[in-house]
Amino acid sequence: MKTRAAAANILHQVINQGQSLSALLPRYQQELAAKDRALLQELCFGSLRWYSRLDAIARQLLEKPLKGKYQPVHALLLVGIYQLLYTRIPAHAALAETVNACKLLKAEPFRGMVNGVLRNVQRRQDELTTKVDALPQLRLAHPNWLVKRLQQAYPEQWPAILEANNQHPPMWIRVNRRHHSREHYLALLLQDGLDAAPDPLADSALRLARPLDVTLLPGFEQGHSSVQDAAAQMAAQLLEAAPGELVLDACAAPGGKTAHILERQPELGQLVAVDLDPERLQRVHQNLQRIGLTASVHQGDAARPADWWQGPRFDRILLDAPCSATGVIRRHPDIKWLRRPEDIAQLAALQMQILDALWQQLKPGGTLLYATCSILPDENKEQIKAFLSRTPDARHLPLHEHDSPDQPGWQLLPGTEQRDGFYYAKLSKAT
């Protein structure tokens, strides 16, 4: 009962108040017993993943919408429908626990309505879902504006992208090459009965057959491995930092790419990591401390480098730019409902500002790797095309055979080889 009420409150606060799941979930989990925390996560992620489909089913059965102070009851209905359609929770348990949660939501007069709607879903599931699933945006549970943008950008791949966004993401780990080769660490996993598979692109990446507690990974507390998606691991690999170089990791938090650059290049001259968010910078310090690495960490705005850097210009810059995060929806399903179409132009303008500012901090002959976890062209290839056209000393460096100045960069789509969606483009500065 308490878990369902918590899930309903979280869903309501994400959808109706614009709060983020990553901020809400830990607060509610700490109030629950350990056995209920995983269930709460499953209910929240699943209800958000399928929100618009669940909502459309519920609205077919409601005499009138639940608005205002009754919105948490509507959210509770969706949590109940999610359990019936998508989980192995016995229907009688899902029904009873969801109905009883009305008490904790101070909505006891709605017990009968909640019970009636959920029993109708049980009886009329095929009829209700067939009607809803006639519309792709409801069947695949994405907002209309995002579906249209993906259809335009990826006329053949868009259904597969939406399907991938609704999958449970795998757990990827990054092997610290200062301690083990990937093959040796894979052998250590197998010795412990943990199955994993290497990624064909990211040369330090292993995909676990099933998610597990990080403390079960060999040498995790000693920094022998870290959790990081294979697509994100390509950043340090493509940056190719060399011995003695001065490297900037811009927008560095939570520090996974910072650590990976240092792991790959032990003889680096200096690594500077900067991020605007002081709270997220604490994660950078924590990650570096666990792995036993050192970087010069600064709090500051990447668009205003003069405020936090008075040193020489950099040999290499990794710009993991602020973006819509549309490539990592499967890990953060609330992105679908929190992001707005007008955000994309605002983010593209910010990316342009940061790119132009950091380019001035790159020495002649230096390299900048631009990265986003977005799959929208406005933030990716169109951003780089515009930068190349207005920047005379920028040179395009191809990352694959089809990477050209007219179609720059490398777009990794979500779900391919079970990776997240990411974009990379590599540029050099003329001497």
Side-chain angles (χ1 to χ4, degrees):
M1 179 169 69
K2 189 173 183 180
T3 309
R4 274 71 178 185
N9 275 323
I10 291 173
L11 182 59
H12 161 63
Q13 289 174 81
V14 171
I15 297 298
N16 301 118
Q17 299 177 2
Q19 299 187 50
S20 75
L21 179 59
S22 61
L24 291 167
L25 186 59
R27 298 209 300 265
Y28 281 87
Q29 283 180 318
Q30 68 185 7
E31 299 175 1
L32 296 173
K35 64 182 179 64
D36 294 323
R37 291 171 190 161
L39 175 59
L40 178 60
Q41 179 166 318
E42 167 64 22
L43 295 180
C44 291
F45 272 70
S47 298
L48 282 165
R49 190 170 282 130
W50 295 104
Y51 168 74
S52 61
R53 186 172 189 259
L54 301 173
D55 183 60
I57 291 170
R59 289 181 185 276
Q60 293 182 73
L61 299 170
L62 290 169
E63 292 183 7
K64 58 181 180 179
L66 295 164
K67 297 180 179 180
K69 64 181 181 180
Y70 303 125
Q71 286 176 334
V73 180
H74 186 82
L76 180 64
L77 276 177
L78 304 194
V79 171
I81 296 170
Y82 172 73
Q83 293 170 80
L84 294 175
L85 298 187
Y86 290 101
T87 74
R88 296 181 179 179
I89 298 170
H92 66 88
L95 271 162
E97 292 292 319
T98 304
V99 170
N100 289 337
C102 289
K103 181 179 181 180
L104 293 179
L105 295 178
K106 299 180 180 179
E108 287 197 83
F110 288 91
R111 287 172 59 93
M113 183 273 289
V114 170
N115 182 65
V117 169
L118 295 183
R119 290 193 180 278
N120 258 319
V121 171
Q122 274 188 293
R123 288 192 296 265
R124 300 169 54 192
Q125 178 178 334
D126 290 344
E127 171 199 342
L128 294 168
T129 55
T130 298
K131 187 173 181 180
V132 166
D133 291 347
L135 296 174
Q137 65 268 28
L138 293 180
R139 178 172 56 85
L140 296 170
H142 280 67
N144 289 347
W145 73 267
L146 183 56
V147 173
K148 290 177 181 178
R149 290 209 178 206
L150 294 178
Q151 287 174 329
Q152 183 178 8
Y154 306 102
E156 296 181 359
Q157 301 106 313
W158 70 268
I161 293 171
L162 300 187
E163 295 272 10
N165 286 348
N166 290 330
Q167 300 301 311
H168 287 254
M171 184 173 176
W172 287 94
I173 59 173
R174 183 185 78 240
V175 178
N176 185 345
R177 291 160 57 143
R178 292 194 179 199
H179 293 281
H180 304 282
S181 68
R182 179 167 67 173
E183 291 70 25
H184 183 222
Y185 196 81
L186 178 58
L188 294 177
L189 290 173
L190 294 175
Q191 285 177 18
D192 290 345
L194 303 174
D195 194 16
D199 182 71
L201 288 181
D203 58 19
S204 300
L206 291 171
R207 176 172 46 81
L208 299 177
R210 59 180 179 83
L212 48 80
D213 191 301
V214 293
T215 59
L216 299 176
L217 295 171
F220 181 82
E221 295 299 335
Q222 293 74 42
H224 295 191
S225 64
S226 300
V227 177
Q228 188 181 36
D229 190 87
Q233 292 186 41
M234 292 299 296
Q237 187 171 323
L238 295 173
L239 187 66
E240 298 180 303
E245 287 187 332
L246 175 62
V247 175
L248 172 64
D249 182 4
C251 311
K257 299 178 183 69
T258 306
H260 195 195
I261 294 168
L262 292 165
E263 289 171 8
R264 294 185 69 90
Q265 185 46 262
E267 298 177 21
L268 205 63
Q270 183 184 5
L271 178 59
V272 176
V274 65
D275 200 273
L276 184 60
D277 188 336
E279 290 187 13
R280 296 187 75 228
L281 271 180
Q282 293 304 311
R283 295 276 305 281
V284 178
H285 288 291
Q286 292 165 6
N287 278 319
L288 292 175
Q289 184 177 17
R290 178 181 65 85
I291 301 172
L293 300 170
T294 302
S296 177
V297 180
H298 298 259
Q299 189 271 323
D301 185 348
R304 299 170 60 90
D307 292 349
W308 46 266
W309 185 250
Q310 287 76 46
R313 288 191 282 182
F314 295 93
D315 297 288
R316 291 180 199 262
I317 296 175
L318 169 61
L319 170 53
D320 187 2
C323 71
S324 62
T326 44
V328 293
I329 285 173
R330 62 181 187 168
R331 297 191 185 277
H332 306 280
D334 53 332
I335 288 170
K336 289 192 284 189
W337 317 115
L338 294 177
R339 191 66 68 205
R340 298 289 181 264
E342 58 269 21
D343 295 342
I344 308 308
Q346 295 170 8
L347 286 163
L350 176 60
Q351 293 156 2
M352 180 180 71
Q353 185 181 3
I354 296 173
L355 254 175
D356 289 343
L358 291 183
W359 191 254
Q360 304 309 311
Q361 300 296 320
L362 185 68
K363 68 170 54 172
T367 300
L368 184 146
L369 182 69
Y370 177 83
T372 75
C373 57
S374 168
I375 56 173
L376 298 179
D378 312 54
E379 303 175 86
N380 295 339
K381 68 177 183 180
E382 297 302 327
Q383 182 72 258
I384 297 303
K385 282 172 65 175
F387 179 77
L388 288 168
S389 69
R390 69 173 179 269
T391 312
D393 59 350
R395 303 290 182 266
H396 166 261
L397 298 175
L399 295 174
H400 56 85
E401 62 177 330
H402 302 297
D403 182 359
S404 67
D406 291 332
Q407 297 290 323
W410 191 2
Q411 181 69 71
L412 304 174
L413 294 178
T416 306
E417 300 285 350
Q418 299 194 47
R419 304 183 201 99
D420 288 344
F422 252 80
Y423 174 83
Y424 293 104
K426 199 169 186 178
L427 308 168
S428 67
K429 195 170 193 176
T431 54

